[in-house]
Amino acid sequence: MQSLPAEFLAEALRLAREHARSGGGPFGAVITNGSEIISSGGNQVTRANDPTAHAEIVAIRAACQRLGTFRLDGCVLYASCEPCPMCLAAIYWARIPRVIFAATRADAAQAGFDDAAIYAELARPLAERTVRMEHASVADSAGPFQIWKANARRVDY
């Protein structure tokens, strides 16, 4: 009998194959809490016309809805492939402490999913990025943060 982590990774890969066969992106993800799968997701980018609908994001959204929280502290994410920069950021925001993945970003690049340009862009100063990034100095731009900090009912994240 397989160990649970191997079964969870196998499920992420099964989802990736399923989505690849049906015309979706070849990625799958599963989120567990202990020995239970609490959510799963396949890449929905082309089906939903949503560039953020990566398998990991779909699974994170579903896990948060199921658990009624935006923090997935005790969970593990199993992914068919090493998460891209966007998914990695979402993993950090969701506080997922562990990710286990099968294929590497080099494997993904060979199939046409190359994130190297994004990693390079993130390392550049704002003025040198291909997406023009401009800071607009606006009066009271920090005002919303001050209101949030002063709100006794705020939920820190």
Side-chain angles (χ1 to χ4, degrees):
M1 181 174 193
Q2 287 183 314
S3 66
L4 289 177
E7 291 173 18
F8 297 147
L9 194 54
E11 176 61 10
L13 286 163
R14 185 195 68 74
L15 287 166
R17 287 190 296 274
E18 176 184 305
H19 283 266
R21 285 187 189 108
S22 66
F27 302 95
V30 169
I31 296 179
T32 64
N33 191 348
S35 62
E36 177 187 8
I37 292 177
I38 58 169
S39 71
S40 62
N43 183 286
Q44 300 289 323
V45 170
T46 57
R47 286 187 183 138
N49 291 320
D50 180 353
T52 68
H54 289 199
E56 298 90 336
I57 302 291
V58 171
I60 289 169
R61 289 174 180 159
C64 289
Q65 287 298 308
R66 179 168 179 196
L67 298 177
T69 182
F70 56 87
R71 295 183 66 120
L72 301 174
D73 303 270
C75 297
V76 178
L77 188 146
Y78 294 84
S80 63
C81 186
E82 182 177 354
C84 75
M86 177 184 68
C87 293
L88 185 58
I91 288 163
Y92 277 97
W93 278 113
R95 313 301 198 283
I96 298 172
R98 186 174 180 202
V99 175
I100 300 172
F101 62 89
T104 66
R105 68 172 111 161
D107 297 326
Q110 289 180 348
F113 298 93
D114 192 352
D115 298 326
I118 297 171
Y119 285 106
E121 282 288 305
L122 292 174
R124 291 181 179 166
L126 292 178
E128 296 176 18
R129 293 185 181 169
T130 57
V131 173
R132 190 172 173 171
M133 303 290 289
E134 301 175 37
H135 173 249
S137 183
V138 178
D140 197 34
S141 60
F145 298 117
Q146 293 164 353
I147 293 168
W148 183 82
K149 285 171 59 176
N151 184 347
R153 296 182 320 244
R154 75 174 184 263
V155 177
D156 291 329
Y157 63 98

